[in-house]
């Protein structure tokens, strides 16, 4: 009995004498040896048959067929008809794969037994042998059909696919001259089976000037056929997944006309790159013109230019003269189609930035609107602008190395003085000093900087990356592409910390409100990762758990694999039809994300239609300030539990039976009325929240209601000045002589709660400096909260209070004493402990900001200029080491300054300073000498309110 290999590799070859051996050799190099290769000679007239014969003679795994199909699709179908392997691979005669391709792809398939295909990343190979960056589309693993309905996201040979399934689907469509692989992958994806991704570039695709893919007219014509099939039923697929039987859903990624427009854009850009323009610009009309799409459009143009010009990214800017005029005309045409030339110009700027970002600028690059150049940071020269240029993209060079990249708009000649004034904003002044200037002011400053850097590097305190923050809940705003929106949420597992005691207590209360008696068919909408699904399943006979995100559904399926009465499915409860005759429907913590109350009303009617008479609908949602700002609620830009409950209660056929109210959320059970039913008064239970509320939840709560909402004041208020609050210590007790500088935690908590309830938001000193520099009035009610000294009680008391009120602060550290105590206060009593470097790093990762309070806390008017510079440099470098962020702000100890400080601080890398001035900060302030308002610990809340409100008046 003949052995059936694990993999069959079909290699169509037509006049491939130059490249065929490279393709076949990559098969001989595979780590997996259980394969067969079927080489289909498609009417070759060169040495191709002889090359094939040599491989067949020397290795029995190679077989050959003859064909007169004169098309890759027909030749591949011939190979499929004789293939024996479980898996199929299609390798064109001018491509190749990595030696680990089969091993890694088969290993991935083994981890997902129900997968129908595995795919990997790929790289293009240009005629000169240069490789493009790796490319892989993650969306294929998430929603394969919705992806292939719109575009071909995988190279033909970057795939292993189940042979029997391909045979059942009928193989490649020979009526298509191009896009035949896309058409087959689309049919395969319509089955609704899993695709598994290998996130490595294992496939290499040779770009040829004679390739059919460069015939844009044919490509667009064939793509139009494939896309139309993707958006309608396809009779060639006998057993499609029910969700895809009628084709792609526009809400899941755009319309068919948009998909064709994106494809036509790529081809138009490719034509530009090759020096031709054959694409009909009208086919681009459906491209979106909004600002958020400009960079995506530029990316597609960039990719098309690579293929059309046979260039890797680093070569494109240097070859601008070959295609720049035609691509600029293409982008101008886009602006005309949109009726918005500004939108076209936006795309042009994005494209030119992309081109220059990957260029070494070894020679000046003049594009349509941008000039890319190298500039000697120590000795810049004036730059005359060519006609039409209004933007500079420059590398600031030092000692032959790129020191910084700068990009800015220009109106005329960029003079040497312009560069001299600009460069210190990007390069520390000490780095600009030449070795010959050692005894100059900047030469000595450079030596001090080198000494400080050596001290920092020799410190025993290790550097470590900041902890990545959890993904925050983003109930504010909506996304037109709901599927993509939710898949981005679930890119990180457990985005809401479902196992927290707060969420688990909420689950328990939802189970408490279940209707009495047995429950037959239940439907859970927005089941997420199945945490509640697992608890609900034992309480019902059959549960259908659904979510819009395929990522979430896979995690839910794995979590509930031991629950035999649960079935899972991807479902958009607004776009898709809900299963009917349900005894129970659950839908919690998701209705906030609907666009408006009209859409909520439509959803409520769908629920009524899906419930059996007498069936129950249970919903749990949080109270939101937008519904009622006078009661405790979450500060989200959406409606909340009150509006949701009122809308459901006002829906014909639904009646509220029972409700559980807490201070933060309510859980409602509605019943669909049967004919002749009479609604009774609902049972309302008020219960406390006993679970601990985690910080990620707490910071969005405004307890007791709000007198002003941040989003409202942001829309309506602009002001020329803001309060910069100065604190020192937050502690219950301490030396009596220092009471002025010490707030109790309770007093500080009251102050922060007042700020939160009155619509204030916290900003950083860099944002304050930016507003001053640009003369931009402050939006809404910003406040800059600062703490001098860096006491440990900031971490213990102040920071938790700030976070709970969704505020942050900037703390000025005495870097030589970090981890020690405030010796400068020793005459007043036991010195207060200071935060150590580990605490600083942790708080920086949680969103606190840090600046310099010098190195020793000595008053600067008693320091020599050399000592002052050394402290400024040393403290900045240590803080940057601990936080991983640039340090640009300082506060003078004891609020003592002199005329040396401002300029020397700038020369040491600072842009923002706080000295001894008192009062609000306004747009006329000098950023290096900003005022603050001292908040005394021996004053009342009324005094605090009066000080802040005085700034608002």
């Amino acid at each position: 009995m003949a052995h059936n290999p694990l993999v069959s590799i079909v290699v169509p070859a037509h006049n491939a004498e130059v490249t065929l051996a490279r393709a076949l050799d990559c098969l001989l190099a595979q780590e997996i040896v259980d394969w067969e290769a079927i080489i289909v000679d498609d009417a070759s007239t060169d040495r191709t048959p002889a090359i094939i014969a040599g491989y067949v003679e020397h290795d029995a795994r190679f077989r050959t067929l003859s064909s007169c199909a004169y098309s890759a699709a027909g030749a591949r179908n011939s190979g499929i008809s004789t293939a024996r392997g479980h898996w199929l691979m299609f390798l064109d005669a001018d491509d190749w794969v990595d030696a680990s391709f089969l091993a890694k792809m088969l290993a991935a398939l083994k981890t997902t037994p129900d997968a129908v295909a595995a795919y990997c990343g790929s790289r293009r190979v240009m005629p000169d042998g240069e490789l493009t960056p790796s490319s892989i589309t993650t969306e294929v693993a998430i929603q394969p059909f919705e992806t292939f309905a719109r575009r071909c996201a995988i190279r033909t040979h970057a795939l292993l696919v189940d042979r029997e399934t391909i045979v059942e689907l009928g193989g490649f469509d020979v009526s298509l001259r191009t896009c035949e692989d896309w058409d087959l992958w689309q049919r395969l994806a319509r089955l609704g089976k899993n695709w598994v991704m290998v996130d490595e570039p294992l496939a290499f695709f040779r770009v040829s000037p004679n390739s059919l893919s460069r015939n844009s007219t044919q490509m667009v014509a064939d793509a139009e056929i494939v896309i139309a099939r993707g958006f309608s039923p396809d009779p060639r697929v006998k057993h499609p997944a029910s969700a895809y039987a009628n084709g792609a859903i526009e809400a899941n990624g755009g319309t068919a006309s948009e998909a064709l427009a994106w494809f036509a854009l790529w081809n138009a850009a490719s034509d530009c790159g090759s020096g031709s323009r054959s694409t009909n610009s009208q086919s681009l009309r459906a491209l979106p013109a909004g600002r958020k799409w400009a960079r995506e459009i530029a990316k597609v143009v960039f990719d098309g230019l690579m293929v059309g010009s046979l260039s890797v990214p680093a070569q494109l800017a240097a070859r601008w003269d070959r295609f720049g005029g035609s691509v600029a005309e293409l982008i101008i045409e886009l602006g005309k189609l949109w009726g918005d030339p500004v939108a076209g110009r936006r795309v042009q700027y994005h494209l030119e930035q992309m081109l220059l970002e990957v260029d070494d600028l070894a020679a000046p690059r003049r594009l349509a609107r941008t000039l890319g150049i190298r500039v000697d940071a120590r000795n810049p020269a004036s730059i005359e602008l060519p006609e039409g240029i209004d933007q500079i993209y420059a590398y600031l060079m030092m000692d032959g190395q790129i020191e910084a990249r700068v990009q800015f708009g220009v109106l005329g000649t960029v003079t040497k003085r312009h560069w001299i004034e600009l460069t210190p904003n990007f390069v520390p002044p000490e780095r600009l000093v030449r070795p010959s200037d050692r005894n100059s002011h900047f030469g000595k400053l450079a030596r001090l900087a080198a000494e400080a850097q050596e001290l920092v590097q020799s410190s025993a305190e290790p550097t470590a990356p900041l902890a990545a923050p959890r993904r925050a809940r983003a109930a504010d705003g909506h996304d037109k592409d709901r599927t993509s929106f939710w898949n981005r949420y679930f890119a990180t597992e457990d985005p809401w910390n479902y196992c927290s005691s707060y969420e688990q207590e909420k689950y328990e209360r939802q189970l408490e409100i279940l209707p009495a008696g047995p429950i037959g068919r239940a439907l859970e909408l927005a089941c997420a990762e199945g945490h509640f699904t697992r608890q609900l399943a034992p309480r019902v006979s059959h549960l259908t758990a659904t979510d819009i995100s395929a990522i979430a559904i896979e995690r839910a399926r794995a979590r509930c694999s031991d629950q035999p009465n649960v079935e899972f499915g991807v479902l958009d409860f607004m776009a898709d039809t809900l299963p009917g005759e349900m005894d129970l429907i659950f839908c919690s913590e998701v209705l906030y994300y609907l666009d408006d109350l009209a859409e909520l009303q439509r959803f409520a009617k769908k629920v009524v239609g899906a419930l059996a008479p007498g069936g129950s609908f249970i919903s749990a949602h949080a109270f939101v300030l937008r519904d009622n700002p006078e009661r405790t609620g979450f500060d989200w830009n959406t409606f909340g539990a009150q509006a949701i409950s009122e809308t459901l209660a006002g829906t014909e056929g639904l009646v509220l039976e029972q409700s559980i109210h807490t201070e933060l959320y309510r859980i409602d059970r509605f019943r669909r009325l049967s004919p002749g039913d009479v609604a009774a008064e609902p049972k309302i239970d008020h219960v406390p929240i006993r679970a601990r509320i985690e910080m990620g939840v707490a910071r969005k709560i405004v307890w007791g209601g709000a007198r002003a909402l941040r989003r409202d004041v942001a829309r309506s208020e602009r002001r020329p000045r803001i309060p910069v609050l100065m604190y020192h210590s937050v502690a219950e007790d301490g030396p009596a002589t220092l009471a002025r500088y010490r707030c109790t935690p309770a007093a500080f908590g009251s102050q922060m709660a007042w700020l939160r309830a009155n619509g204030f938001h916290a900003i950083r000193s860099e944002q304050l400096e930016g507003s001053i520099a640009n003369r931009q009035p402050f939006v809404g009610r910003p406040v800059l909260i600062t703490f001098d000294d860096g006491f440990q009680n900031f971490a213990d008391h102040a920071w938790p209070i700030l976070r709970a009120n969704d505020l942050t602060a900037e703390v000025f550290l005495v870097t030589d004493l970090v981890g020690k105590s405030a010796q400068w206060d020793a005459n007043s009593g036991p010195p207060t402990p200071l935060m150590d470097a580990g605490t600083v790093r942790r708080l920086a990762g949680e969103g606190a900001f840090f600046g310099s309070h010098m190195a020793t806390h000595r008053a600067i008017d008693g320091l020599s200029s050399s000592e002052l510079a050394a402290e400024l440099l040393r403290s900045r470098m240590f803080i940057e080491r601990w936080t991983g962020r640039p340090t640009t702000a300082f506060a003078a100890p004891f609020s003592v300054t002199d005329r040396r400080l401002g300029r020397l601080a700038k020369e040491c890398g600072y842009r923002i300073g706080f000295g001894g001035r008192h009062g609000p900060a306004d747009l006329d302030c000098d950023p290096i000498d900003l005022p603050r308002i001292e908040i005394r610990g021996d004053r009342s809340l009324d005094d605090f309110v009066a000080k802040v409100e005085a700034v608002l008046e």
Side-chain angles (χ1 to χ4, degrees):
M1 183 175 178
H3 167 68
N4 288 335
L6 190 56
V7 181
S8 292
I9 304 158
V10 177
V11 186
H14 173 72
N15 291 341
E17 63 179 3
V18 176
T19 61
L20 180 59
R22 176 71 178 88
L24 300 182
D25 285 345
C26 84
L27 301 180
L28 293 172
Q30 290 301 302
E31 298 166 4
I32 295 290
V33 299
D34 189 11
W35 52 264
E36 66 171 357
I38 305 161
I39 313 167
V40 184
D41 176 18
D42 191 16
S44 298
T45 58
D46 62 358
R47 294 185 57 255
T48 296
I51 295 171
I52 295 172
Y55 281 87
V56 171
E57 180 180 352
H58 287 93
D59 194 320
R61 293 176 296 177
F62 290 102
R63 294 192 285 131
T64 185
L65 294 176
S66 295
S67 169
C68 293
Y70 292 97
S71 75
R76 291 186 195 122
N77 285 347
S78 296
I80 293 170
S81 68
T82 66
R84 299 170 299 180
H86 179 84
W87 300 102
L88 275 177
M89 173 190 173
F90 302 101
L91 178 65
D92 286 351
D94 53 354
D95 299 331
W96 69 90
V97 293
D98 185 83
S100 64
F101 175 87
L102 289 180
K104 290 178 177 176
M105 299 285 272
L106 290 168
L109 287 164
K110 191 173 182 179
T111 64
T112 312
D114 59 344
V116 74
Y119 72 100
C120 67
S122 61
R123 300 181 74 177
R124 296 188 182 102
V125 186
M126 294 303 169
D128 60 2
E130 292 288 330
L131 297 174
T132 63
S134 173
S135 171
I136 192 165
T137 304
T138 57
E139 288 89 343
V140 171
I142 298 167
Q143 45 181 9
F145 179 71
E146 294 291 350
T147 302
F148 285 119
R150 293 166 175 83
R151 60 193 178 107
C152 188
I154 298 175
R155 298 288 171 204
T156 307
H157 63 301
L159 190 73
L160 273 191
V161 60
D162 182 74
R163 179 179 60 84
E164 290 185 357
T165 305
I166 293 298
V167 171
E168 291 172 4
L169 289 170
F172 293 90
D173 182 349
V174 296
S175 70
L176 295 170
R177 290 191 61 202
T178 66
C179 304
E180 75 285 347
D181 51 345
W182 177 5
D183 174 74
L184 180 54
W185 310 154
Q186 185 190 99
R187 278 180 277 148
L188 181 64
R190 197 184 286 259
L191 298 173
K193 298 181 180 180
N194 284 330
W195 293 54
V196 61
M197 179 178 71
V198 177
D199 192 4
E200 291 186 59
L202 304 177
F204 299 86
F205 170 72
R206 200 187 302 267
V207 179
S208 165
N210 301 316
S211 169
L212 261 178
S213 64
R214 292 168 67 86
N215 183 343
S216 61
T217 301
Q218 186 67 54
M219 289 276 284
V220 172
D222 288 341
E224 186 171 13
I225 294 170
V226 176
I227 291 170
R229 288 171 174 172
F231 279 80
S232 59
D234 191 336
R236 300 172 300 170
V237 183
K238 304 302 181 185
H239 304 289
S242 58
Y244 310 132
N246 293 317
I249 299 170
E250 292 185 357
N252 288 350
T255 65
S257 59
E258 287 172 345
L260 183 62
W262 284 107
F263 189 77
L265 174 67
W266 185 92
N267 280 274
S270 178
D271 284 349
C272 290
S274 64
S276 65
R277 280 294 307 280
S278 58
T279 303
N280 180 1
S281 61
Q282 291 302 312
S283 62
L284 308 176
R285 185 175 294 277
L287 285 172
R291 177 178 283 106
K292 74 174 185 176
W293 293 105
R295 188 166 182 83
E296 293 304 312
I297 290 172
K299 284 180 181 178
V300 173
V301 173
F302 185 101
D303 194 72
L305 285 174
M306 278 198 295
V307 173
S309 65
L310 305 176
S311 307
V312 296
Q315 298 168 336
L316 285 171
R319 298 175 178 177
W320 179 261
D321 287 345
R322 302 184 192 177
F323 54 75
S326 57
V327 79
E329 289 176 7
L330 170 64
I331 292 172
I332 290 171
E333 284 184 32
L334 285 176
K336 291 178 180 177
L337 287 173
W338 293 327
D340 184 1
V342 172
R345 191 179 310 130
R346 190 178 294 128
V347 172
Q348 186 77 39
Y349 280 132
H350 278 295
L351 175 63
E352 294 183 9
Q353 179 181 331
M354 291 176 189
L355 294 173
L356 295 172
E357 283 176 341
V358 293
D359 194 284
D360 61 7
L361 300 185
R365 310 296 187 205
R366 176 184 172 178
L367 308 185
R369 306 193 70 91
T370 312
L371 178 66
I373 52 172
R374 289 186 174 191
V375 174
D376 183 343
R378 292 191 177 110
N379 187 27
S382 293
I383 303 295
E384 296 289 338
L385 289 189
E387 184 70 25
I389 297 296
D390 64 2
Q391 182 173 228
I392 292 286
Y393 186 96
Y395 292 160
L396 300 181
M397 308 296 295
M398 291 179 56
D399 303 323
Q401 302 296 316
I402 298 172
E403 185 70 18
R405 301 173 187 233
V406 298
Q407 185 174 357
F408 55 93
V410 285
L411 303 178
T413 299
V414 185
T415 64
K416 180 172 183 175
R417 179 182 175 184
H418 188 138
W419 287 112
I420 290 172
E421 292 178 352
L422 177 98
T423 301
N425 293 323
F426 301 94
V427 182
E430 65 269 15
R431 292 275 294 127
L432 296 172
V433 180
R434 296 182 180 276
S436 59
D437 299 331
R438 293 182 185 278
N439 291 321
S440 69
H441 168 76
F442 284 115
K444 292 185 176 181
L445 192 65
R447 287 209 302 275
L448 288 173
E451 291 169 5
Q453 189 65 50
E454 184 177 350
L455 178 63
V456 170
Q457 291 175 347
S458 64
S459 166
E461 176 60 40
T463 55
L466 296 179
R470 284 189 62 84
R471 298 171 71 90
R473 182 177 191 149
D476 292 2
H478 303 283
D479 192 315
K480 290 183 179 178
D481 182 356
R482 283 197 173 113
T483 300
S484 298
F485 174 83
W486 287 107
N487 280 331
R488 284 196 295 274
Y489 254 113
F490 288 109
T492 298
E493 192 168 357
D494 192 9
W496 278 283
N497 196 12
Y498 299 108
C499 293
S500 70
S501 57
Y502 173 76
E503 294 296 335
Q504 290 299 315
E505 183 179 74
K506 198 187 305 179
Y507 290 163
E508 292 171 9
R509 287 178 173 155
Q510 290 177 72
L511 294 174
E512 291 172 7
I513 208 171
L514 285 172
I519 300 171
R521 301 179 68 228
L523 170 66
E524 185 183 6
L525 303 175
C527 71
E529 296 178 351
H531 291 263
F532 180 67
T533 311
R534 185 171 181 81
Q535 297 181 36
L536 177 61
R539 312 288 289 271
V540 301
S541 298
H542 183 271
L543 175 59
T544 300
T546 67
D547 197 277
I548 194 172
S549 168
I551 299 173
I553 283 294
E554 287 310 306
R555 291 182 188 143
R557 182 181 283 118
R559 178 164 285 106
C560 302
S561 59
D562 59 344
Q563 302 288 326
N565 65 326
V566 184
E567 65 172 332
F568 291 91
V570 175
L571 182 139
D572 178 345
F573 59 68
M574 287 307 303
D576 300 336
T577 301
L578 302 184
E581 293 300 308
M582 288 292 164
D583 300 308
L584 173 66
I585 298 178
F586 258 96
C587 186
S588 295
E589 299 288 2
V590 72
L591 297 180
Y592 322 104
Y593 294 89
L594 297 181
D595 289 339
D596 49 36
L597 290 177
E599 189 169 34
L600 178 61
Q601 289 167 353
R602 291 195 295 274
F603 168 77
K605 292 177 181 177
K606 292 184 74 170
V607 167
V608 174
L611 284 171
S616 296
F617 175 74
I618 295 178
S619 165
H621 287 86
F623 293 110
V624 174
L625 291 174
R626 192 167 114 178
D627 288 350
N628 182 0
E630 296 182 0
R631 60 150 297 152
T632 297
F634 288 84
D635 191 10
W636 299 331
N637 187 22
T638 180
F639 49 78
Q642 180 175 320
I644 291 168
S645 182
E646 290 172 354
T647 300
L648 291 166
T651 302
E652 185 177 355
L654 280 184
V655 60
L656 179 64
E657 281 196 318
Q658 185 178 353
S659 188
I660 297 175
H661 291 209
T662 72
E663 191 168 4
L664 295 179
Y665 59 84
R666 63 182 286 172
I667 304 168
D668 295 323
R669 188 181 79 234
F670 291 86
R671 178 168 57 86
R672 178 183 171 180
L673 293 172
S674 300
D677 270 1
V678 177
E681 280 296 313
K683 177 186 178 185
I684 309 295
D685 296 318
H686 293 270
V687 298
I689 295 174
R690 296 188 174 88
R692 185 177 71 88
I693 301 173
E694 296 195 349
M695 189 58 70
V697 175
R699 66 190 311 162
K700 292 298 182 182
I701 302 169
V702 181
W703 298 95
R707 287 166 285 286
L709 298 180
R710 287 173 172 174
R711 60 181 171 276
D712 292 341
V713 297
R715 284 193 293 262
S716 62
E717 296 185 12
R718 299 293 183 272
R719 59 189 72 260
R721 58 184 188 167
I722 69 165
V724 181
L725 309 182
M726 179 176 67
Y727 291 90
H728 289 79
S729 179
V730 176
E732 290 290 356
D733 49 36
T737 54
L738 299 178
R740 167 180 178 170
Y741 306 106
R742 184 176 61 250
C743 282
T744 66
F748 182 71
S750 297
Q751 294 168 6
M752 297 305 102
W754 185 89
L755 291 173
R756 184 70 174 91
N758 283 275
F760 284 84
H761 68 279
I763 65 170
R764 309 186 306 277
S765 60
E766 286 185 348
Q767 293 169 286
L768 171 57
E769 182 226 7
S771 291
I772 293 172
N774 296 309
R775 301 290 298 171
Q776 290 180 339
F778 302 102
V779 176
R781 298 182 182 180
V783 59
L784 174 54
I785 303 169
T786 68
F787 279 78
D788 286 3
D789 304 324
F791 293 125
Q792 176 60 35
N793 59 46
F794 173 83
D796 295 340
H797 302 305
W799 182 238
I801 292 170
L802 286 161
R803 294 185 76 199
N805 287 281
D806 199 28
L807 299 167
T808 189
E810 198 152 340
V811 184
F812 296 104
L813 301 172
V814 184
T815 53
D816 283 5
L817 299 179
V818 160
K820 300 177 183 177
S821 59
Q823 295 299 325
W824 60 88
D825 286 335
N827 292 336
S828 299
T832 304
L834 300 169
M835 289 186 285
D836 61 20
T839 302
V840 171
R841 182 179 297 110
R842 174 177 66 82
L843 268 55
E846 293 175 357
F849 296 89
F850 293 90
S852 168
H853 208 38
M854 303 299 151
T856 63
H857 205 277
R858 291 181 291 174
I860 65 105
D861 59 350
L863 298 177
S864 70
S865 294
S866 178
E867 289 173 326
L868 175 56
E871 288 214 15
L872 284 163
L873 289 164
R874 186 163 78 247
S875 59
R876 173 174 65 80
M877 293 179 184
F878 267 109
I879 296 168
E880 288 176 347
R881 177 184 176 91
W882 295 330
T883 65
R885 301 191 190 109
T887 298
T888 58
F890 72 89
F894 305 109
S895 298
V896 172
T897 65
D898 64 17
R899 293 184 178 181
R900 299 173 302 161
L901 178 59
R903 182 169 185 82
L904 200 52
K906 289 181 181 178
E907 292 169 348
C908 290
Y910 295 90
R911 301 199 309 270
I912 307 132
F914 298 95
R917 297 176 58 219
H918 180 82
D922 60 40
L923 296 176
D924 295 321
C925 286
D926 180 357
I928 208 71
D929 186 23
L930 291 166
R932 293 189 286 178
I933 299 170
E934 181 187 359
I935 303 302
R936 296 180 52 152
D938 55 0
R939 301 290 170 83
S940 66
L941 177 63
D942 289 342
D943 181 74
F944 171 84
V945 171
K947 286 182 176 179
V948 176
E949 287 187 335
V951 180
L952 298 184
E953 294 173 355

